[in-house]
Amino acid sequence: MRETTHHVDRRTVIGATGAGMAALAGCQGVIESNSNAAAQGGGSITVTGVWTGAEEENFQAVIDHVQEETGIDITYEPRSTEAILTGTLIDYQAGVATADIVVIPSPARVRSDARSGHLAPMSGVWEEWEFSPSPESVTVDGEQYAAPFKMDLKPGFWHRQSFFEEHDLEHPEDYDQFMSLLDELNGIEGVDAPIASGNGVGWPLSDVTEGFIQRQEDGAQLQRNLISGEASMTDDRVATAHQEIQELIQEGYFSTVRDFGVQFEYLWNNQIPLYFQGSFITAFDAIQDPSDLNYFMVPGAESMVAAENWFTVPTYVDDVETARTAVETFVSPSAQAVWAERGGFIATSPEVPSDAYDLEVMQNLSQRADEVELVPDLDDTLGDPFQSEYWSQLTGLWADPDQDVQSMLEQLAQVQEESVTEGGSGGGDGDGSDGGGNESASDGGNGSDADGGNESDGDGS
């Protein structure tokens, strides 16, 4: 993985590049359209992605903007993450395009499809210095094969601000205070357990575990090294992170495992006050008043995971250039600002200013992304066989927290090595991740069919 970080202000870096950048004059109608987008040319294309419910409405508003900017007629076809990942495999092997633009949540899957010749290059559609994500995770033989649209930040534990105020609770500044907070929460009437255990196929149990990896010494670089293979899952710091999770499960601080979308209802009802989730949380229907949400990072963490939704164009489409033009406009600051002001969205372009976000918590999160290091999602980026095995092992840990963590990590180290060597086949979090999904087909992930969350993660990310 690349060694540079986002510890410096992303907007400062971008501002220094000068030419070709859109003005930062404001939000809707003020951010200038991407100057490289093709002139109004017409044509028609289809887009398939994982957004349903409220997120589908938000994405449709972006589509309307892109249609107006390009003159291209665009039809959206939502699918679950699993359906996209499985369906495209079948279609591509037959030389058929599932859609003109396919939203893929897994960088590993992008690389796999690119190596197989299924994707058109995206080099020239977006430039690295104009975006927060690095193109390295979707680059094969020097060519980019996807463009980043929606970025799901996974900052830490979300909660209702009103609940914290009612019970005089404060954000912990260190791990001891974090443990004390969990004890306090356990003693509040009506609380089933302090922390939600969301699941589908192992996600988002993996997300909260990665959050504990980030709190270890040099956690950001550790995560990058795990992805590159320079560090092993048997690293002492990785073991410590998993042992901390194990202890919390054993002490009863984690709730019963439920579908990740259902757990939002328990969060909102204050039955489970804390939920380690992504920034898409504000888009879920169960969250009746997103302005009441707040979050805190895992104490000790100085980095957070960022998972992107990647726009790809199959080589089998009738008009690759029209699809590429649409992608270029979709990822432009002006298009991303359309969703940003509607909530549940963090732009991959730092050219979208913080005041474009309607919710204060999203403004703060966007600013926080400038202050900490952003790292790729571990299992999304490595892909299979690691991702499937990681989800399986974590599901097993939640079911049997007394098992030997070291033995679990030794098994994971073996499949980690395979994924690094093979380049990852890509599952996916919906967060864009998924291999089966960041989501639950029932409630609302990035691909859930009912509730409208950002993903299905099976994100991501």
Side-chain angles (χ1 to χ4, degrees), residues 106-121:
S106 167
R109 177 58 188 278
V110 171
R111 297 193 306 272
S112 176
D113 286 347
R115 286 192 297 268
S116 299
H118 299 319
L119 301 181

Side-chain angles (χ1 to χ4, degrees), residues 16-51:
T17 62
M21 306 304 290
L24 289 179
C27 178
Q28 262 318 78
V30 182
I31 301 177
E32 296 181 3
S33 300
N34 190 321
S35 61
N36 293 323
Q40 311 253 338
S44 61
I45 62 170
T46 57
V47 178
T48 188
V50 295
W51 301 301

Side-chain angles (χ1 to χ4, degrees), residues 391-404:
W391 290 344
S392 176
Q393 292 288 351
L394 289 177
T395 300
L397 180 62
W398 255 260
D400 178 17
D402 294 326
Q403 65 180 277
D404 181 25

Side-chain angles (χ1 to χ4, degrees), residues 36 71 101 113 133 142 164 170 238 249 275 317 336 359 422 448 457:
N36 293 323
I101 297 174
D113 286 347
F164 267 51
E170 297 182 355
V238 178
I249 302 171
Y275 197 3
V317 304
Q336 293 199 51
L359 292 173
E422 297 172 8
S448 122
D457 224 304

Side-chain angles (χ1 to χ4, degrees), residues 270-294:
N270 296 322
Q271 293 170 271
I272 306 176
L274 303 178
Y275 197 3
F276 192 104
Q277 265 296 350
S279 52
F280 47 82
I281 186 174
T282 60
F284 274 78
D285 291 344
I287 306 301
Q288 299 173 24
D289 180 11
S291 66
D292 192 28
L293 291 177
N294 202 351

Side-chain angles (χ1 to χ4, degrees), residues 41-45 70 72-73 101 313 319-327:
S44 61
I45 62 170
T70 64
I72 300 171
D73 184 50
I101 297 174
V313 174
D319 189 343
V320 169
E321 286 310 311
T322 295
R324 279 168 48 92
T325 295
V327 169

